[in-house]
Amino acid sequence: ETARRHYPEGEVIAHVVGYVSQVSEDELTRSEELLSGDIVGKSGVERTFDEQLRGSRGWQLVSVNSLGRQIGDARIETEPDHGRSLDITLDMAMQRELYRGFGEEAGGGIFMDIESCNVLALVSTPSFDPNLFADGFSKEVWRAIIEDPRRPLHDRAIASFYAPGSTFKVVMAIAGLETGTVDPQHRVFCNGGKSYYKRRRLCWKRGGHGWVDMRKALAESCNVYFYDLGQALGIDKITEYGKLLGFGAPTGIDLSGEEVGILPSRDWKRKNLREIWYPGDTISVAIGQGFLAATPAQLASMMATVARGSLGIPPRLVDGVP
């Protein structure tokens, strides 16, 4: 008989719960507690909370004869600690539905409770079956997984970043209001586009939205309104409020491998591209394009912050652990 992990939900929860496998040589060199053959967490919650889940081994002292057979009773030196159970915050009905919704598409998605910031669903597709790792598999199967161009082991919800697009207009609106650059009644006329720094920038709606105030600009996602707002704010203020709302930094979610995306600034462009910041760059960032990039987890965390009205609560997957 032997103990093994079993994951009843398989691919549905793979990137959240993760998987376990035999300890690697590198992990052995970094730990005084692990021994060859130990099973440890490799990704997901299994990895983040590996020590709590794994517990600690016990030791017993035995006497043996020249043939290795035990003589007398063993004496327990250290009682084993079987580790602790963890309560995951997922709403499994929501998790299954989110996974089903992605179908054959590659992508990542996350739902959070805005008050507690508990993660109710987190999915990355394509996924994998963590039971494969618990059972053990051939080199051919492992090679097929890691050479798959769709990268099923990669968690797109926390480790891939994308242009946030019009979701960033929420940040722009907050920056505009907090700095007094605009008020909610400020209006802009949109006829489908406008020229900035000798380049015409288009709104998504051909023919434009007409006169829009902030409420209408957000509701109908008018690009021209936010082009104007970006020009008035400037990149320094946009970066300041983007940082306040979690862009360019880890959310603190209890999973390893989180990426921080890109919150562009004058210094960022000078350091990474060795170029100065141009005013036209700001116009692109104002509608969530250009150099700006965020993970799905960052966007969910930002919107939870706005909806809740307070900063500083990281998303979490394990209940009862600060």
Side-chain angles (χ1 to χ4, degrees):
E1 291 183 356
T2 184
R4 69 178 293 280
R5 276 283 197 267
H6 175 56
Y7 303 100
E9 296 288 343
E11 295 181 352
V12 176
I13 48 80
H15 291 95
V16 174
V17 177
Y19 66 92
V20 293
S21 188
Q22 280 199 23
V23 63
S24 66
E25 290 295 327
D26 183 54
E27 289 166 327
L28 284 173
T29 59
R30 289 187 279 109
S31 173
E32 297 180 356
E33 299 178 359
L34 296 171
L35 297 177
S36 182
D38 280 350
I39 301 298
V40 297
K42 296 288 188 174
S43 73
V45 170
E46 290 276 27
R47 178 173 176 176
T48 305
F49 296 94
D50 177 64
E51 289 187 18
Q52 294 96 316
L53 290 164
R54 179 163 38 90
S56 58
R57 68 169 46 78
W59 295 96
Q60 62 180 8
L61 211 58
V62 297
S63 299
V64 297
N65 62 17
S66 59
L67 298 177
R69 293 174 181 152
Q70 183 174 329
I71 302 172
D73 295 329
R75 187 174 82 245
I76 295 176
E77 292 286 296
T78 305
E79 290 283 355
D81 174 14
H82 294 289
R84 58 180 288 194
S85 295
L86 298 177
D87 291 326
I88 307 299
T89 61
L90 296 183
D91 177 322
M92 281 312 303
M94 187 178 287
Q95 179 77 8
R96 294 186 194 102
E97 189 65 16
L98 180 57
Y99 181 76
R100 186 199 64 78
F102 271 99
E104 297 300 314
E105 297 292 330
I110 178 171
F111 284 96
M112 288 166 51
D113 177 271
I114 65 168
E115 296 297 338
S116 66
C117 281
N118 285 350
V119 176
L120 304 178
L122 187 150
V123 162
S124 177
T125 56
S127 190
F128 63 94
D129 185 358
N131 290 297
L132 284 174
F133 295 89
D135 294 332
F137 46 73
S138 66
K139 290 182 179 179
E140 289 72 23
V141 173
W142 172 241
R143 189 177 299 112
I145 292 174
I146 62 173
E147 292 181 357
D148 187 335
R150 286 161 56 84
R151 301 166 67 202
L153 296 179
H154 182 70
D155 189 344
R156 289 168 168 82
I158 66 165
S160 284
F161 45 88
Y162 315 88
S166 293
T167 58
F168 194 70
K169 291 171 182 174
V170 174
V171 179
M172 293 293 299
I174 290 170
L177 294 171
E178 289 288 316
T179 59
T181 304
V182 292
D183 60 42
Q185 288 72 44
H186 175 76
R187 297 202 305 163
V188 169
F189 186 78
C190 170
N191 64 1
K194 190 173 178 180
S195 291
Y196 300 87
Y197 311 109
K198 299 181 180 181
R199 179 184 168 189
R200 184 165 175 80
R201 306 277 188 149
L202 299 177
C203 189
W204 67 267
K205 185 176 182 181
R206 185 176 297 180
H209 294 90
W211 287 103
V212 293
D213 59 10
M214 180 172 284
R215 181 179 294 274
K216 186 175 180 181
L218 278 171
E220 300 189 16
S221 195
C222 175
N223 287 353
V224 171
Y225 183 96
F226 290 98
Y227 291 146
D228 270 16
L229 181 54
Q231 186 179 40
L233 279 168
I235 190 59
D236 297 334
K237 284 297 180 184
I238 295 173
T239 300
E240 177 186 340
Y241 280 88
K243 185 176 181 180
L244 275 173
L245 287 162
F247 288 85
T251 64
I253 192 171
D254 34 14
L255 292 174
S256 61
E258 184 179 15
E259 288 286 348
V260 299
I262 300 171
L263 178 61
S265 65
R266 299 178 194 277
D267 290 340
W268 176 89
K269 192 178 181 187
R270 189 181 302 112
K271 179 180 178 181
N272 291 275
L273 302 180
R274 298 182 181 178
E275 295 179 1
I276 64 170
W277 188 268
Y278 295 105
D281 297 334
T282 305
I283 304 301
S284 296
V285 172
I287 60 163
Q289 302 290 342
F291 303 115
L292 184 67
T295 66
Q298 285 175 320
L299 292 176
S301 186
M302 178 271 285
M303 287 306 303
T305 295
V306 173
R308 188 177 60 250
S310 62
L311 297 165
I313 306 178
R316 64 176 185 174
L317 278 158
V318 175
D319 203 19
V321 178

